Amino acid sequence: MPLADDLAAFQGDAATAFAGAADVAAVETARIALLGRQGRIVALQEAFRAAPPEEKRNLGPLFNAAKQAAETAWKDAQARLADQGDGGPLDITQPAPAHRPGSIHPLSRLGREVERVFTSMGFSVVDGPHAEHDDYNFTRLNIPQDHPARDAQDTFWLTDGRCLRTHTSSVQSRFYELAGQGRLTLPLRSVVVGRVFRYEAVDATHDNTFTQVEGFVVDRGITVSHLVGTLTTLLKGLIGRDDVEVRLRPAYYPFVEPGFDVDIRSPSAPPEVRYHDWMELLGCGMIHPQVLRNGGIDPAEWNGFAFGLGLERLAMVRHGISDIRVFHGGDLRSLRQFAY
Ligand code: PHE
């Protein structure tokens, strides 16, 4: 009677499998194979149903006994492991699970490099509030209410009248005010690496939250040459190539005069790198006398330059990233690619 043999074999295998299971996972694997909905017990039950009626009389008790024995062996194994705790016997020779070291976010790392280059040139690292008064973010920077330049920087407004700053130039307003009040002494050499916000439709090249680097210098007799020299030093440091060139084109920003957009290139970079040929990177200019005056600084004595650049854009060209959403998406699988 082959089914009787099968039942006996099943019962024996169940006893061996459950008694030998070293941990909860092994018990569960055995249960699925033997007693699960697609386990061996199901085939045995089907064979029993198909058996001729005269054999069923003998097979019935055998089937029940085998199934019950397997279930008992299962419960015994569970009880045994519950007594020992989940892991079963402790194997002190087993290798520890691998630790995955954390890493610095690519933007944070680039931001720190920027700060290092600027501190080496005698700049101070400063910042201001993210939730900013209209006055500092716009009005003191020559962007009055109803000025069309406001349309270019739509933002999120708080119910108390403050907004999320649209650029780090708001920090210029604050520092000029402090200098005008005599709470800071001129000259100023400051750099901001900070988060800014815009009401933007998010796509591969726009995010509503991004990072700007703002540099500003107020001193006596500052010229565009100082600006170009500072930018060239910064970009040589960040790109790590000595042949970095900058090119200025006239541009309009209400808080500088003259204002420029800056392109960079480094012909020694491989041809597939964006800045192998001219690439637009940042805005800058000589601080508008009215902006200094708004802070209480006399533009007849003091002048200076300022510039602002997007850190994500720089990080994207550095790492060959094509989608800005990687930076704030929080997906570690993306970010780990840039860990080193
Ligand atoms: N704040 C400007 C922007 O966000 C950039 C800028 C900074 C331009 C300083 C000139 C001088 O677009």
Side-chain angles (χ1 to χ4, degrees):
M1 209 190 291
L3 183 54
D5 294 339
D6 291 345
L7 286 169
F10 171 79
Q11 188 172 335
D13 291 348
T16 315
F18 286 121
D23 55 29
V24 172
V27 171
E28 181 61 3
T29 307
R31 185 196 66 77
I32 290 168
L34 295 161
L35 295 166
R37 264 180 294 165
Q38 287 166 46
R40 274 166 71 184
I41 192 68
V42 177
L44 291 169
Q45 188 162 8
E46 271 158 19
F48 172 70
R49 275 215 204 94
E54 63 276 15
E55 285 183 27
K56 275 193 176 155
R57 217 168 307 124
N58 290 330
L59 287 171
L62 291 180
F63 178 84
N64 287 336
K67 186 176 179 195
Q68 235 165 49
E71 284 173 345
T72 307
W74 172 45
K75 298 212 168 93
D76 287 348
Q78 285 184 311
R80 172 172 54 85
L81 290 172
D83 284 345
Q84 288 176 355
D86 262 5
L90 175 66
D91 177 0
I92 59 165
T93 66
Q94 209 178 11
H99 275 280
R100 197 196 271 275
S103 57
I104 308 289
H105 191 284
L107 279 181
S108 307
R109 193 171 52 234
L110 189 55
R112 289 179 194 182
E113 286 176 34
V114 168
E115 292 176 355
R116 204 175 310 128
V117 174
F118 277 103
T119 47
S120 81
M121 291 190 278
F123 281 63
S124 321
V125 176
V126 302
D127 203 353
H130 292 174
E132 187 55 285
H133 296 279
D134 178 282
D135 187 42
Y136 294 114
N137 194 79
F138 294 116
T139 314
R140 284 168 177 260
L141 295 170
N142 263 349
I143 317 174
Q145 288 279 353
D146 305 320
H147 191 284
R150 288 206 177 196
D151 295 347
Q153 299 193 1
D154 202 0
T155 184
F156 302 92
W157 292 88
L158 280 67
T159 48
D160 64 5
R162 287 179 300 165
C163 63
L164 297 187
R165 68 179 182 192
T166 59
H167 51 183
T168 40
S169 302
S170 58
V171 184
Q172 288 190 50
S173 311
R174 287 187 166 264
F175 275 74
Y176 302 158
E177 180 180 51
L178 288 173
Q181 291 168 342
R183 290 157 70 192
L184 275 176
T185 46
L186 296 172
L188 284 182
R189 276 190 291 276
S190 309
V191 65
V192 185
V193 179
R195 195 164 276 187
V196 300
F197 310 86
R198 299 217 184 148
Y199 181 71
E200 288 268 8
V202 173
D203 63 26
T205 54
H206 299 87
D207 204 343
N208 52 33
T209 303
F210 54 104
T211 316
Q212 280 190 338
V213 176
E214 184 100 5
F216 51 95
V217 166
V218 178
D219 205 336
R220 295 185 175 93
I222 297 294
T223 69
V224 175
S225 302
H226 295 114
L227 168 58
V228 171
T230 306
L231 289 175
T232 308
T233 305
L234 169 69
L235 294 166
K236 278 185 180 167
L238 292 184
I239 287 172
R241 293 178 181 277
D242 250 356
D243 66 341
V244 176
E245 300 167 55
V246 303
R247 173 172 82 178
L248 272 55
R249 288 177 287 111
Y252 173 67
Y253 298 96
F255 36 94
V256 287
E257 178 58 35
F260 309 100
D261 278 333
V262 176
D263 305 329
I264 67 160
R265 77 166 171 186
S266 168
S268 73
E272 67 273 14
V273 176
R274 274 297 307 277
Y275 47 77
H276 173 77
D277 202 359
W278 292 115
M279 176 187 107
E280 181 174 339
L281 190 62
L282 60 101
C284 63
M286 303 305 288
I287 302 163
H288 197 293
Q290 187 58 42
V291 170
L292 293 174
R293 215 174 282 125
N294 291 342
I297 298 173
D298 178 6
E301 184 179 359
W302 302 96
N303 77 336
F305 66 75
F307 63 86
L309 74 104
L311 203 59
E312 279 81 358
R313 185 161 160 68
L314 204 55
M316 285 167 82
V317 292
R318 163 186 275 203
H319 295 294
I321 296 171
S322 54
D323 194 324
I324 196 172
R325 290 168 287 199
V326 161
F327 294 113
H328 296 126
D331 187 335
L332 293 179
R333 292 169 305 176
S334 313
L335 295 174
R336 279 193 184 117
Q337 298 176 74
F338 314 111
Y340 56 79

